[in-house]
Amino acid sequence: MQPAQRRYGGVHGDERRARRRARLIEAGLDLLSEDQGEANLTVRSVCARSGLAARYFYESFPDREALALAVYDHVVEEIATTTAAAVAVGPNDARARTRAGLDNIVRLIVDDPRRGRLLFSTAFLSPSLARRRLEAAELFPRLLGGHTRAFFGVPGSAVLDLAAQFAVGGLAQALTAWLHGHLEIDQERLVDHCTDMFLALMSLALREDER
């Protein structure tokens, strides 16, 4: 039998560690989203930003690279999870569900611009973080293709996979340009037009599969 955990201020040790880890990830997101990207991220800078001692950093992460990956995973997981939830609760209508998902993505990035800078910035140095970005770039097309297949009750295909890759890649580029002020369009119109383009592209892919 494991010994009972000690409580400080009514909080168990595991919960305190989880809270400290969350503070470190928040500090890491701050630093990674700044101009120099990963170059800003050191154990010292993270500890200073989070207000935690170095021993608490090493309690959760072996090095700064592990923290960088955890920060990136946190942002991607948050976007993927909340977007899937937004789509799931929408009405049984292709446009409504597509718009709900895109609106969630755009809103998350607007509400916390650090997310957008982390996802779309080129100021990354380590090969491991670059690989993680490539892995994340594969996640969202899989999600889009999966939702399309489930909604329309169709099997997967190379054409549908191609359309999903193209749609997600185009969305990433459009959001990058918009966040940098290169697209003069308001948030609602951005979501509306992206929704129309998503639907047109996926509909084209579905028609090709029917031939």
Side-chain angles (χ1 to χ4, degrees):
M1 179 181 297
Q2 294 183 344
Q5 293 187 27
R6 298 181 65 183
R7 295 170 64 96
Y8 293 90
V11 181
H12 282 297
D14 286 347
E15 185 176 347
R16 291 197 306 276
R17 282 190 290 273
R19 290 180 181 180
R20 288 193 291 266
R21 188 178 190 276
R23 286 171 62 181
L24 291 166
I25 288 177
E26 187 73 9
L29 179 55
D30 269 350
L31 293 163
L32 282 172
S33 64
E34 292 176 355
D35 287 343
Q36 298 304 311
E38 199 174 355
N40 296 318
L41 200 69
T42 65
V43 174
R44 178 176 293 180
S45 67
V46 172
C47 290
R49 189 68 60 95
S50 66
L52 293 171
R55 67 187 179 93
Y56 291 126
F57 178 96
Y58 292 110
E59 172 187 68
S60 294
F61 304 102
D63 51 38
R64 74 185 189 99
E65 189 171 271
L67 172 61
L69 293 175
V71 171
Y72 197 83
D73 288 347
H74 171 75
V75 171
V76 169
E77 182 179 356
E78 181 180 32
I79 291 175
T81 300
T82 58
T83 300
V87 170
V89 300
N92 192 29
D93 174 81
R95 191 179 197 284
R97 290 195 173 189
T98 301
R99 195 188 189 287
L102 291 172
D103 181 66
N104 183 76
I105 293 170
V106 173
R107 184 169 44 78
L108 284 176
I109 291 171
V110 170
D111 288 349
D112 188 347
R114 297 176 305 169
R115 298 182 181 115
R117 288 194 292 268
L118 177 67
L119 293 174
F120 305 127
S121 173
T122 58
F124 292 120
L125 304 177
S126 74
S128 61
L129 197 53
R131 285 194 300 272
R132 190 58 56 89
R133 171 175 275 185
L134 288 175
E135 292 169 4
E138 291 298 316
L139 169 65
F140 290 105
R142 286 200 303 273
L143 291 174
L144 175 60
H147 284 304
T148 302
R149 290 193 299 273
F151 184 83
F152 290 102
V154 297
S157 71
V159 174
L160 189 57
D161 290 343
L162 173 61
Q165 293 279 354
F166 197 89
V168 172
L171 176 66
Q173 180 58 40
L175 290 180
T176 300
W178 184 64
L179 290 168
H180 284 85
H182 302 317
L183 291 176
E184 295 184 3
I185 187 171
D186 63 51
Q187 184 173 333
E188 289 298 310
R189 290 180 62 216
L190 174 73
V191 174
D192 284 337
H193 287 307
C194 285
T195 298
D196 291 339
M197 287 185 279
F198 260 60
L199 289 172
L201 187 56
M202 303 312 287
S203 295
L204 177 61
L206 292 171
R207 288 198 301 270
E208 285 294 320
D209 278 344
E210 291 173 355
R211 293 182 179 180

